[in-house]
Amino acid sequence: MYQQGGIYIITSRILIVDLLTQTASPASISGILVYHAEKVTETSTESFIIRIYKTQKLFASQGQSSGFVKGFSEDASEVIQGFGNVDKILKGLFVRRLYLYPRFHVDIVEELEKYPPKVDELHQQLTPLMKEIQGALAAAVQACIRQLKSSTNLIEWTDDLTVENCVTNNFDRSISRQLEHDWHRLKPQTKNLVYDLRTIRTLFQYLLQYDSIAFWKLLNNVKTMSAASRTPSMWLLTPAADLLFRKAKDRVYKLSMGRRSATATTEENIPALVGKLTPVLEENPKWRLLKQVLTEVRRDWREKKKQQQGKENIAKNAGGARVLVMTKDNRTLETLRSYLVEGKDRTMMLRWLNYLERYNDRSRTVTKGAGHISEESRLLIEEEGRVRNFLFGTGRRKRNQRQAAVTNTTTNGGKKRQQANAEPDWKRKKRKV
């Protein structure tokens, strides 16, 4: 692959393996472009790759050329954060010069205007439950800011430190940067408020990135860690947090409890409340938008191919349309692959079954000594069996029937041969009871 030449977008993990196994030769690599250069350190994989590339390239060219390395970063605040961070980044990249170019620079503007990209922006609306969760998170941020203002006077509240900007990374970093010189003098409650703002900011981001089941599991983990901490998070006791947990659960499943009979007078005649669990399993709205875009691309490609069938100059090996979908991390990549290949129902059902198995195992362990179990836990245990039967029960039964039919057809012809070659009963070894 590397011998064909061209530009390759490759991860550091794959490239270091190819370099060490000599699959990729540094002599044939003209240069390396490093994205997110602010994360490069002397002990990072990227720095190790560049060190191998520079030394072997210089040895292969007999000291004439060592190749070029260029690092790019979009986060200027991350570059200047810490003591001597710029020197560490330059040393890790094996470069000597640092160039700071804003987007309105003349050279940058002229270069971008030469080949302007054609961009179609698609805006996806949030679901009603996601909007209510977002509002609850904003109310929790306001409560934390109110408590932080009353607990310390060391923070200068500028126009950037608002609820509208709490989604960005600079929100909690700017607060931490103002408090880092006096951090040892702060109260534990004040430090905990700063951590809470960071947690709520991540919840804002994961609300748009995760599906309903993964977000619900994340909220439960946050609540469990807060309960085990010496200084629990106070924002979890606010009405906004209660609304947040209720709406996040409604995105996964809903419980409807039955009513007692109005004619019952004694305790013996009062029937037990019987509930009903209804799975909702709300998907991420961005997944639906992506599938719609891919469907439109496939339809346009087929129409274009039909129009070209009457022409003479048609490529013989013309394949289908190739679409590159770029994700932020491997988790999103695996989720999208499962969603596009297996469909929404099976993907969400598998995640739902994984959640039920973990939750029910924990509830069985907790209620092992007790003689009763809550109605919600009982319904979730029953739901686990239904989901497993839906995913694997019918298909497994059909597969077993098919295998049994095949074995019957193959063994019917050999019954007489097996009986003729069978060992007599008196020769068989008898077991002593």
Side-chain angles (χ1 to χ4, degrees), residues 23-116:
T23 304
S25 176
S28 59
I29 300 176
S30 301
I32 297 178
L33 304 178
V34 182
Y35 190 51
H36 288 302
E38 72 277 0
K39 299 181 179 179
V40 177
T41 59
E42 295 182 8
T43 58
S44 62
T45 309
E46 291 81 4
S47 180
F48 185 42
I49 290 172
I50 296 172
R51 186 182 298 112
I52 294 176
Y53 168 70
K54 284 279 189 180
T55 53
Q56 295 188 8
K57 182 76 173 179
L58 191 65
F59 178 76
S61 62
Q62 297 180 358
Q64 297 181 1
S65 175
S66 61
F68 68 89
V69 176
K70 297 182 183 297
F72 296 90
S73 175
E74 296 180 355
D75 195 351
S77 60
E78 185 72 19
V79 175
I80 62 176
Q81 187 178 6
F83 179 76
N85 194 26
V86 176
D87 297 337
K88 296 177 183 178
I89 294 174
L90 295 179
K91 189 175 181 180
L93 291 173
F94 291 89
V95 295
R96 298 181 179 180
R97 297 182 180 87
L98 173 65
Y99 298 95
L100 301 176
Y101 286 117
R103 292 185 179 271
F104 54 84
H105 196 274
V106 178
D107 297 337
I108 302 298
V109 172
E110 292 179 354
E111 187 67 25
L112 293 177
E113 288 181 351
K114 288 182 180 179
Y115 306 100

Side-chain angles (χ1 to χ4, degrees), residues 195-426:
Y195 295 146
D196 291 343
L197 287 175
R198 187 177 306 169
T199 302
I200 298 174
R201 178 184 61 80
T202 56
L203 291 178
F204 265 113
Q205 295 180 352
Y206 291 145
L207 175 63
L208 306 177
Q209 184 178 353
Y210 287 176
D211 58 279
S212 57
I213 301 175
F215 187 75
W216 174 239
K217 290 166 61 177
L218 177 63
L219 284 179
N220 290 329
N221 292 336
V222 170
K223 190 174 183 179
T224 304
M225 293 176 62
S226 174
S229 177
R230 295 180 59 184
T231 55
S233 301
M234 300 306 297
W235 73 273
L236 293 174
L237 305 177
T238 59
D242 181 60
L243 178 64
L244 169 65
F245 278 85
R246 283 193 290 108
K247 296 305 177 182
K249 181 189 289 187
D250 290 343
R251 293 182 66 201
V252 183
Y253 63 93
K254 292 184 178 181
L255 290 176
S256 56
M257 306 301 294
R259 297 181 180 179
R260 287 189 175 92
S261 176
T263 59
T265 56
T266 61
E267 294 182 358
E268 290 79 11
N269 295 330
I270 297 177
L273 292 177
V274 179
K276 180 182 178 182
L277 188 144
T278 305
V280 180
L281 307 182
E282 185 178 83
E283 62 178 337
N284 195 317
K286 293 192 293 184
W287 300 355
R288 195 185 315 114
L289 180 62
L290 175 62
K291 191 172 183 179
Q292 180 182 355
V293 171
L294 295 177
T295 305
E296 293 177 359
V297 170
R298 181 183 298 176
R299 186 180 64 250
D300 295 342
W301 175 259
R302 288 179 178 177
E303 292 178 356
K304 183 179 179 181
K305 194 174 182 180
K306 289 180 180 179
Q307 295 176 0
Q308 292 181 352
Q309 283 181 354
K311 299 181 181 180
E312 297 180 358
N313 298 328
I314 303 176
K316 296 182 180 180
N317 298 325
R322 295 185 178 181
V323 181
L324 176 62
V325 180
M326 304 189 70
T327 60
K328 186 177 181 180
D329 49 16
N330 293 330
R331 178 173 182 169
T332 309
L333 177 63
E334 296 298 331
T335 303
L336 288 180
R337 182 184 289 118
S338 175
Y339 178 79
L340 296 175
V341 174
E342 299 181 355
K344 175 225 172 183
D345 295 336
R346 184 168 181 82
T347 301
M348 297 303 296
M349 278 294 183
L350 288 172
R351 292 172 175 269
W352 178 228
L353 179 61
N354 186 18
Y355 169 76
L356 289 174
E357 289 176 348
R358 295 187 178 183
Y359 179 85
N360 292 334
D361 290 342
R362 186 167 60 251
S363 63
R364 291 190 188 98
T365 305
V366 172
T367 60
K368 189 174 182 180
H372 65 280
I373 188 173
S374 64
E375 183 67 15
E376 182 177 359
S377 299
R378 184 187 67 80
L379 292 174
L380 289 174
I381 291 175
E382 294 178 356
E383 181 67 18
E384 180 183 353
R386 284 194 293 266
V387 173
R388 184 176 287 107
N389 188 25
F390 174 79
L391 289 174
F392 310 109
T394 306
R396 182 177 298 175
R397 194 180 302 115
K398 290 182 179 179
R399 197 181 309 116
N400 293 337
Q401 292 175 359
R402 230 182 286 120
Q403 291 178 358
V406 173
T407 53
N408 288 334
T409 55
T410 55
T411 56
N412 284 336
K415 278 186 177 179
K416 295 182 179 180
R417 186 166 55 254
Q418 290 178 0
Q419 292 177 0
N421 299 331
E423 190 177 12
D425 294 338
W426 60 274

